Amino acid sequence: MDLTIYHWLLIVLAFFGIVIWVFSKKRKARFERDSRIPFDDDDEDGKNKD
């Protein structure tokens, strides 16, 4: 597979674009909320099924 400099440039720019998007301050609240999902109750009533 013969990649030109333009392909590599596109790959690098896409990588950095995604990194900047992920670590932007606008996304921090959502990622904090999503990181607590495994620790939330199993159902809406607050009762575990165990």
Side-chain angles (χ1 to χ4, degrees):
M1 185 173 200
D2 192 24
L3 295 179
T4 64
I5 188 70
Y6 299 110
H7 290 108
W8 286 112
L9 183 62
L10 181 63
I11 292 168
V12 169
L13 288 175
F15 174 78
F16 283 116
I18 292 170
V19 168
I20 290 169
W21 175 76
V22 167
F23 290 107
S24 68
K25 291 184 179 186
K26 292 180 184 179
R27 305 269 176 224
K28 185 176 181 180
R30 178 179 173 214
F31 288 138
E32 290 289 330
R33 187 178 66 241
D34 290 347
S35 69
R36 290 188 299 270
I37 289 174
F39 303 110
D40 289 342
D41 289 335
D42 290 337
D43 56 0
E44 294 177 5
D45 295 335
K47 299 176 186 173
N48 289 330
K49 295 181 181 180
D50 294 335

